[in-house]
Amino acid sequence: MNKIYQLYFSIISVLLIVLFAESANAQNGNIKGRIYNAKNNEPIPFVNIIINGTNIGVSSDIDGKFEFTNVKSGYVKLAASTVGFERILTTEFMIISGKTKYIDIPMHEIAINLAGVEIRNTTFRRDEDSPLSMKSIGIAEIEKSPGGNRDISKVLQSLPGVASTPAFRNDVIVRGGGSSENRFYLDGIEIPNLNHFATQGASGGPVGIVNVDFIREIEFYSGAFPANKGNALSSVLDMYLIDGNPDKLKFKGSVGASDLALTFDGPIGKKTSFVFSARRSYLQFLFSAIGLPFLPTYNDFQWKSKTKFDLKNELTIIGIGAIDQFKLNTGIKNPDERQKYILGYLPVFEQWNYAIGGVYKHYRTNSYDTYVFSRNMLRNTSYKYPNNDESKSKILNYTSDEIENKFRFERNKHTLDYKLNFGIGLEYNRYTNSTFQKIFARDSLTTIDYNSKLDLFVWNAFGQISKSFLADRLTLSLGIRMDANNFDKEMSNLLNQFSPRFSVSYNLTEKLSLNANTGRYYQRPTYTTLGFRNNKEELVNKQNNITYIAVDHFVTGLDYLFTEKSKITLEGFYKRYHYYPFSVNDSVSIASKGADYGTFGDEEVTSTSEGRAYGFEVYYRNIDLKGFNVILSYTFVRSEFKEKTHQFIPSAWDNKHILNITLKKDIGRNWDIGAKWRFVGGAPFTPIDFVKSSNREIWDSKGRGYLNYNAYNSERLNDFNQLDVRVDKQYFFKKWSLNFYLDIQNLLAYKSEQQPIYSNLDINGNIAVDPNDNTKYVLRKITDYSGNVLPTIGIIVEF
């Protein structure tokens, strides 16, 4: 820890020097853009556009184009309005001195309100299809989130319903659902992983894979999922990307908590623009400094190009990929007992993955068609030698590939009367697996040794229609989706996965609205589950008639708009799970698994488990509370699944209470400060089975204890809290900008309790064999805590 505090005080010293340095004179930039009709891409002339919060405005010309000059550097929003169209407030974007920012603004037609009721600009948007359980986050909030370190997964933890863990993981845990129940999209292309070193079959990992330099805004759904987004049970994350600069080449470089990133964007000819980034981590140095016994290194890249062939046709190509390398830190001098324990059981993990796709849009008179083609692949390998001695035979050797080829067609139509979306999807996917592993199952030590190959064809159809009534006070939305695949007869019938959803929103007053949603959603079991075989090379889960997981959502809430800049929402939710995979070996639902590195779901299961998650959320947002940007969210949640006695017991995500308070403030002269405090209730955990775990042969096969599933999640960790702070200072020069930031996670050095671990070593580091029975170890409890102060200095240069 001395190294960490030395680094901390060094960073403070650097920032104090910057604090007293003379700031560069702020320069101004320009904005150019185009206003168009969202349904057909036709330009909208004579639209009034103002810089939000000012009286500075312009009008669009006959081609829908507009221009602002001499705009003050920093984050801005534009507000656009004209007769016959819904007023719109854009997401924030950065103005750089001496540079021109390009932005396209879509607007939606509406019926002219003859009663003359004014429709005010508001920071908070609401979608007809999903009038509740959806939150939007702009780039400024992502960039400057305290403790977020420009990582989307961490930023999401400020939202209601989203839990967090004190360990070095970015699991997305939403409303009591598991980390495998979420889906992620980049400009309409689904990506399988949100994190580096991802748990195969789930979503967790130590650091995000998406470079936020690409992000324009994100939309996060914790319920009321649109019908065109399938295979999700708990959340959908839609990430919208920036377009490249059509005028000239730009550069952005950043050094942050764990990586160095370089981003370029600019034109390729007259009709095409691009954005490209590459990142290289130095996370291994941070982990080494704080004494972690594993050293990860990651590399990633992103690409987006957009070609506007003409007014009616455009093509977007997107790519993202990562190479994740990992080694054990066996060179630790005088490792403590916790480090020895982790080195004793932790395998070596290595991964690489990519996703690439194209989105072609064709605009019609009153609608537009979208064609999406994509391919993604994950290769996951892991291995382990006994006591990390490579002269011995491996006790784990695992290699797996997941390959998906996808096509989706959608038609979107938005008239004065209704909004309609419908389409189909087709997939051809391949999964391969080579597994050698020694495990303890069904009261005996056994060796799993198999090779698996699975070709899977997937198809789906969907549609959703939304319409307003009673002078737009009442909005109804009905969606239908059906999914199927050729794994077995049960799952090949579309009607067996009939997924309806219905939303209603009613404006009780000008400021108060009542919203509700109900729906049934389906998710295909993970490839690791579908492709699992026994030593006879049989697809045992196919023999067990495994099927889609289903969940029924019931959500209702109130939404009150205090002002154009502040609102509060209250939502209650109830989720009922059906057909959840149930572990044959452990006699528990696998819903609580997936929070560890490696793989999730690769075991024999039956589709017989049931579960429920329920609670309520309070979300308060004020953009300007006496100069502070305030986010407050509280969630009460219970998450329970049935185990072998058919009784509901808490899942690993049953945190009960989640509280987040975030404050940010612009203190002038391009200084920003922020703080986030979060409180998370203690999670349940399962103690180890001492009888099994002390057996030397059983212990040596895994390097750690086996859980006592007869006492499944019968114990609970203590609550934990964490305070994160951040300071930003931005300089604007003639044609470039420079941003310094200091981000300190866990400023108060709060030590959060972890699940107890047990070692087969005595206090002197020697193997402890039971003197009365040499077939057993003497296990010793090690109290485990996490909670280091993690200061980070970051630098962002843009020109």
Side-chain angles (χ1 to χ4, degrees):
M1 286 302 298
N2 289 334
K3 293 182 180 180
I4 292 296
Y5 285 110
Q6 290 172 6
L7 177 61
Y8 171 74
F9 288 116
S10 298
I11 292 171
I12 292 294
S13 300
V14 170
L15 283 184
L16 287 175
I17 294 173
V18 175
L19 174 65
F20 293 105
E22 182 178 354
S23 176
N25 293 325
Q27 305 292 323
N28 296 333
N30 305 313
I31 304 173
K32 289 185 178 181
R34 175 176 175 266
I35 302 279
Y36 65 95
N37 192 323
K39 73 178 182 181
N40 56 21
N41 205 33
E42 293 288 343
I44 309 175
F46 316 123
V47 177
N48 298 313
I49 308 116
I50 66 169
I51 298 176
N52 196 51
T54 74
N55 294 319
I56 302 172
V58 298
S59 294
S60 61
D61 63 19
I62 194 69
D63 296 318
K65 296 180 180 180
F66 65 90
E67 181 178 3
F68 289 90
T69 59
N70 202 33
V71 180
K72 183 179 178 181
S73 298
Y75 283 106
V76 300
K77 295 182 179 181
L78 299 182
S81 62
T82 191
V83 175
F85 287 83
E86 183 180 9
R87 293 187 181 186
I88 186 170
L89 185 65
T90 70
T91 58
E92 64 266 279
F93 54 90
M94 174 67 75
I95 301 300
I96 302 296
S97 51
K99 299 292 182 180
T100 299
K101 177 67 177 180
Y102 291 83
I103 179 171
D104 291 342
I105 304 176
M107 299 187 73
H108 295 280
E109 287 187 64
I110 57 173
I112 298 176
N113 193 335
L114 298 178
V117 177
E118 180 183 4
I119 303 173
R120 299 181 303 164
N121 280 329
T122 174
T123 304
F124 313 104
R125 300 200 311 271
R126 188 170 62 188
D127 187 75
E128 302 100 314
D129 299 340
S130 306
L132 73 173
S133 302
M134 192 276 279
K135 301 291 184 293
S136 297
I137 304 178
I139 185 58
E141 189 172 333
I142 297 172
E143 288 270 14
K144 298 183 178 182
S145 175
N149 272 324
R150 307 176 80 238
D151 190 324
I152 291 174
S153 295
K154 288 185 171 63
V155 174
L156 292 178
Q157 294 171 3
S158 296
L159 298 180
V162 183
S164 59
T165 59
F168 289 93
R169 286 185 62 85
N170 277 352
D171 294 284
V172 181
I173 309 299
V174 182
R175 288 182 171 175
S179 60
S180 63
E181 300 177 12
N182 315 288
R183 288 297 173 266
F184 318 108
Y185 292 84
L186 287 177
D187 269 358
I189 292 177
E190 185 176 356
I191 61 173
N193 301 312
L194 191 61
N195 291 291
H196 288 281
F197 301 99
T199 302
Q200 187 177 2
S203 64
V207 64
I209 197 174
V210 177
N211 185 350
V212 299
D213 291 338
F214 271 65
I215 300 298
R216 173 167 52 88
E217 70 170 327
I218 64 177
E219 292 182 346
F220 180 72
Y221 300 82
S222 55
F225 307 142
N228 63 343
K229 301 294 192 299
N231 215 33
L233 301 177
S234 284
S235 78
V236 172
L237 178 64
D238 246 343
M239 294 168 278
Y240 297 97
L241 308 182
I242 62 171
D243 293 334
N245 191 306
D247 185 25
K248 59 179 65 177
L249 186 67
K250 291 171 55 184
F251 165 83
K252 187 173 185 178
S254 62
V255 179
S258 57
D259 56 51
L260 168 69
L262 300 175
T263 303
F264 301 87
D265 74 286
I268 305 176
K270 295 182 178 180
K271 296 183 177 181
T272 303
S273 64
F274 81 96
V275 190
F276 173 80
S277 79
R279 295 194 299 179
R280 168 75 175 180
S281 80
Y282 43 83
L283 197 64
Q284 67 273 27
F285 302 119
L286 173 64
F287 279 33
S288 178
I290 61 179
L292 292 178
F294 48 92
L295 304 175
T297 302
Y298 63 83
N299 307 269
D300 62 45
F301 68 87
Q302 278 183 248
W303 166 274
K304 176 182 177 179
S305 66
K306 188 171 186 177
T307 302
K308 298 180 179 180
F309 299 105
D310 52 41
L311 196 62
K312 295 296 184 181
N313 299 278
E314 64 184 40
L315 174 66
T316 301
I317 298 176
I318 293 172
I320 185 171
I323 301 173
D324 300 334
Q325 299 167 320
F326 178 101
K327 67 177 183 179
L328 296 176
N329 190 10
T330 55
I332 297 178
K333 294 182 180 180
N334 302 316
D336 60 28
E337 54 191 4
R338 181 178 179 273
Q339 293 167 332
K340 289 180 180 179
Y341 166 77
I342 295 175
L343 287 171
Y345 83 83
L346 189 66
V348 173
F349 300 105
E350 292 185 348
Q351 288 182 357
W352 59 262
N353 66 82
Y354 69 83
I356 186 169
V359 179
Y360 176 76
K361 284 188 177 181
H362 173 67
Y363 290 90
R364 300 175 178 272
T365 303
N366 291 303
S367 63
Y368 64 91
D369 297 337
T370 304
Y371 301 84
V372 182
F373 300 85
S374 66
R375 174 183 171 91
N376 60 73
M377 179 175 180
L378 165 70
R379 171 158 293 177
N380 186 28
T381 64
S382 60
Y383 60 87
K384 181 68 177 178
Y385 292 94
N387 299 317
N388 303 314
D389 185 351
E390 297 186 9
S391 66
K392 298 180 180 180
S393 298
K394 294 177 181 177
I395 58 175
L396 169 65
N397 193 13
Y398 177 90
T399 301
S400 178
D401 289 349
E402 294 183 5
I403 305 169
E404 296 182 319
N405 303 278
K406 300 184 178 184
F407 166 75
R408 187 175 77 251
F409 165 77
E410 293 185 34
R411 175 163 292 181
N412 287 272
K413 188 172 185 178
H414 201 152
T415 73
L416 298 180
D417 296 322
Y418 63 89
K419 175 183 176 183
L420 175 66
N421 168 270
F422 63 89
I424 60 170
L426 300 171
E427 300 179 22
Y428 166 62
N429 306 325
R430 171 167 289 186
Y431 170 76
T432 64
N433 184 319
S434 175
T435 296
F436 174 86
Q437 184 179 16
K438 292 185 177 182
I439 67 168
F440 185 82
R442 300 183 183 180
D443 296 323
S444 65
L445 187 66
T446 185
T447 298
I448 296 178
D449 187 3
Y450 72 89
N451 292 282
S452 185
K453 179 181 176 182
L454 181 66
D455 290 311
L456 197 67
F457 291 90
V458 179
W459 55 96
N460 57 69
F462 54 85
Q464 187 153 354
I465 186 169
S466 303
K467 182 175 173 58
S468 296
F469 302 88
L470 304 178
D472 292 340
R473 295 187 66 180
L474 174 66
T475 301
L476 304 178
S477 181
L478 174 65
I480 294 173
R481 184 182 178 92
M482 294 179 289
D483 293 87
N485 66 72
N486 70 328
F487 183 73
D488 61 20
K489 184 177 179 180
E490 174 73 17
M491 288 196 276
S492 65
N493 188 339
L494 281 171
L495 295 178
N496 288 340
Q497 288 77 234
F498 181 75
S499 174
R501 68 229 33 214
F502 177 73
S503 295
V504 57
S505 177
Y506 184 74
N507 295 323
L508 299 171
T509 69
E510 185 178 320
K511 294 185 176 183
L512 179 65
S513 64
L514 174 65
N515 311 297
N517 169 267
T518 185
R520 166 164 282 205
Y521 308 104
Y522 286 92
Q523 181 175 295
R524 188 177 63 244
T526 64
Y527 292 112
T528 53
T529 300
L530 295 175
F532 178 78
R533 297 179 187 263
N534 57 20
N535 291 342
K536 297 179 181 180
E537 303 289 330
E538 297 171 326
L539 288 171
V540 292
N541 292 327
K542 185 174 184 178
Q543 296 175 352
N544 292 344
N545 297 317
I546 192 172
T547 190
Y548 279 80
I549 308 168
V551 63
D552 298 319
H553 282 210
F554 303 92
V555 189
T556 187
L558 292 170
D559 187 325
Y560 186 79
L561 188 67
F562 292 104
T563 68
E564 297 176 6
K565 296 182 178 181
S566 63
K567 70 177 291 187
I568 187 170
T569 63
L570 171 65
E571 292 187 15
F573 61 90
Y574 183 87
K575 297 160 62 176
R576 185 64 184 259
Y577 290 91
H578 311 273
Y579 319 125
Y580 219 100
F582 186 81
S583 173
V584 172
N585 290 334
D586 303 326
S587 296
V588 297
S589 170
I590 70 170
S592 292
K593 301 182 180 181
D596 204 352
Y597 294 101
T599 60
F600 164 75
D602 52 339
E603 58 179 298
E604 182 179 358
V605 298
T606 60
S607 294
T608 55
S609 182
E610 296 182 0
R612 64 187 182 189
Y614 57 91
F616 67 91
E617 303 166 351
V618 179
Y619 178 71
Y620 173 74
R621 182 72 194 271
N622 196 322
I623 305 299
D624 186 11
L625 181 62
K626 296 185 177 180
F628 285 91
N629 188 334
V630 179
I631 302 174
L632 185 151
S633 67
Y634 168 75
T635 303
F636 172 79
V637 59
R638 298 305 309 268
S639 176
E640 302 168 324
F641 282 81
K642 289 184 177 180
E643 42 84 61
K644 61 183 179 181
T645 63
H646 304 292
Q647 299 296 316
F648 281 110
I649 60 174
S651 78
W653 327 116
D654 186 57
N655 295 103
K656 293 185 179 181
H657 305 285
I658 306 169
L659 175 64
N660 288 279
I661 303 173
T662 303
L663 301 174
K664 291 184 287 186
K665 184 176 177 60
D666 179 350
I667 59 175
R669 298 181 63 84
N670 299 317
W671 282 93
D672 292 276
I673 59 174
K676 179 176 72 175
W677 181 76
R678 56 180 168 141
F679 171 92
V680 180
F685 71 91
T686 303
I688 72 165
D689 186 321
F690 283 94
V691 175
K692 294 178 182 177
S693 300
S694 62
N695 184 292
R696 292 179 62 182
E697 187 179 21
I698 295 174
W699 177 279
D700 290 342
S701 70
K702 192 177 181 180
R704 57 176 170 173
Y706 278 77
L707 299 181
N708 181 6
Y709 287 102
N710 290 321
Y712 186 58
N713 283 348
S714 59
E715 300 187 28
R716 190 178 288 268
L717 300 174
N718 292 329
D719 304 334
F720 85 92
N721 68 86
Q722 180 169 313
L723 176 65
D724 304 326
V725 298
R726 179 174 171 124
V727 179
D728 284 80
K729 169 62 177 175
Q730 192 144 12
Y731 296 91
F732 295 99
F733 300 93
K734 188 174 182 179
K735 290 189 177 182
W736 64 288
S737 69
L738 177 65
N739 182 28
F740 290 93
Y741 68 86
L742 170 67
D743 189 284
I744 306 176
Q745 296 181 52
N746 197 24
L747 178 67
L748 303 180
Y750 181 84
K751 295 292 185 180
S752 59
E753 180 188 18
Q754 300 293 292
Q755 184 171 339
I757 59 178
Y758 292 84
S759 173
N760 66 336
L761 304 178
D762 61 23
I763 58 175
N764 298 315
N766 300 314
I767 295 177
V769 178
D770 188 339
N772 300 316
D773 187 349
N774 63 7
T775 65
K776 296 183 179 298
Y777 288 124
V778 177
L779 302 183
R780 186 167 56 88
K781 182 178 179 180
I782 301 173
T783 303
D784 192 22
Y785 292 92
S786 69
N788 293 317
V789 178
L790 294 178
T792 300
I793 186 169
I795 303 172
I796 302 173
V797 181
E798 187 168 359
F799 57 85

